[in-house]
Amino acid sequence: MDHITFLVAVVIVTALAFDFTNGFHDTANAMATSIATGALKPRTAVLISGALNIVGAFLSTEVAKTISGGIVDDTLVTPGMIFAGLIGAILWNLMTWLLGLPSSSSHALFGGLIGAVWVGAGQHGVHFDKVVEKVLVPAVASPIVAGIAALLATYLAYRITAKARQDSVTRGFRLGQIASASLVSLAHGTNDAQKTMGVITLTLISAGALGHDAGPPVWVIAAAGLAIGLGTYLGGWRIIRTMGKGLTDIQSPQGFAAEAAATTVILTSAHMGFALSTTQVCSGGILGAGLGRRLAEVRWGTAGRMLVAWLITLPAAALVGALSASAVTHGGTLGTALIAAVALAVATAIVLASRRNPVDAKNVNDSNQVSIRPAGAPAAA
């Protein structure tokens, strides 16, 4: 522990802060459809999801190893670079949460790290072949696979239950959703908590506290699991509204199909070490479930805005990470303090803006739109 300098400690705290934002940003992945269909009450849903995120963090470390020794060269990375990358990821998470956009926390983290390491260590500090293999290919394939699986499952669910009583079908699938949503939460903890474990492990390796290619220590696993679990319990209600009500009108068979498809894809990818976006997987599952029900309305405008957010997440976070890394690299302690102060000010402004038109457990199912203006307020000319 002699290697744990003040900067390293700051980076670890910042990484856990990102993990916390990851939790409330991605709560919708597991629980949006269950809340929308009434299978679970909002507060009950986020409590179950938070607890299972913590459990899931202990199931695997393959994704953590991809982060700590895969996409960047851990021999060239410094704690300052990692700090800069985390700032980019946190600010992107908060901005998209304010807008109610289910963007990828994972890609925000990857983008921030890539931008920071590129500026701090040069182009050779980033393993672009691994970025393509472990990040970009899964980003394209995983929502498509989840969407097709959910579409087929939804179609079969309605065909099989076509002659059954509607109330019995609804009640049965709502019970099934409790199990399937719980599995998504478990899978989310397995996949997403590992990303913060990987970042902290990378920080400890860069500081000499761990050896090259080391895995995350137990205390890192526990801290990352607890941080994402607490964030999940806080409830990212703005994004829950978008995913539960904004993409399609979800019924309980669709919710079950979407969650089952997402769980399968996420757990398989986590086992293989693919650091995919659980947000994209779950969104793909919801869209597939919407297409799988005859006459279901799919809101393509919302889907289009989400797609734009997905496309710009990695480069936007990379730009912020690069700018932050430039300040940290050239400004030393003063530059690091300046970036931290600016980030804190921006984060505070975003939180205050969200309070102008809050979304919480009481009104999460009231609308399919998220606004940052008070209800009834005129738009700016």
Side-chain angles (χ1 to χ4, degrees), residues 18-103:
F18 164 77
D19 206 23
F20 183 82
T21 67
N22 191 350
F24 73 74
H25 193 279
D26 289 3
T27 309
N29 296 348
M31 291 300 174
T33 54
S34 294
I35 292 172
T37 63
L40 287 168
K41 293 182 179 178
R43 285 293 180 189
T44 302
V46 296
L47 176 60
I48 292 172
S49 186
L52 289 174
N53 265 265
I54 296 173
V55 175
F58 288 88
L59 296 184
S60 173
T61 59
E62 292 303 315
V63 175
K65 293 175 182 176
T66 296
I67 304 298
S68 62
I71 64 173
V72 295
D73 188 340
D74 59 17
T75 63
L76 300 176
V77 174
T78 66
M81 296 177 200
I82 299 172
F83 173 76
L86 287 167
I87 292 299
I90 290 172
L91 292 182
W92 184 255
N93 267 0
L94 290 175
M95 180 59 69
T96 50
W97 163 76
L98 175 66
L99 299 174
L101 284 175
S103 68

Side-chain angles (χ1 to χ4, degrees), residues 204-301:
L204 296 173
I205 291 172
S206 69
L210 290 176
H212 181 67
D213 287 336
V218 174
W219 70 267
V220 172
I221 297 173
L226 184 60
I228 199 170
L230 289 174
T232 300
Y233 177 68
L234 181 66
W237 304 111
R238 305 176 79 83
I239 298 176
I240 288 174
R241 174 182 285 183
T242 298
M243 290 187 71
K245 293 292 185 178
L247 282 174
T248 185
D249 295 316
I250 287 285
Q251 295 181 355
S252 54
Q254 295 169 282
F256 177 80
E259 290 160 0
T263 300
T264 303
V265 173
I266 294 169
L267 286 178
T268 301
S269 298
H271 178 71
M272 298 173 66
F274 292 141
L276 53 70
S277 165
T278 54
T279 300
Q280 292 180 1
V281 172
C282 293
S283 299
I286 292 172
L287 282 173
L291 293 171
R293 177 167 69 91
R294 185 170 176 267
L295 301 179
E297 178 189 4
V298 176
R299 300 182 180 94
W300 294 109

Side-chain angles (χ1 to χ4, degrees), residues 91 94 342-354:
L91 292 182
L94 290 175
V342 170
L344 183 60
V346 173
T348 301
I350 290 173
V351 172
L352 292 176
S354 73

Side-chain angles (χ1 to χ4, degrees), residues 323-349:
L323 293 173
S324 300
S326 181
V328 170
T329 301
H330 296 100
T333 302
L334 180 60
T336 303
L338 177 62
I339 290 299
V342 170
L344 183 60
V346 173
T348 301

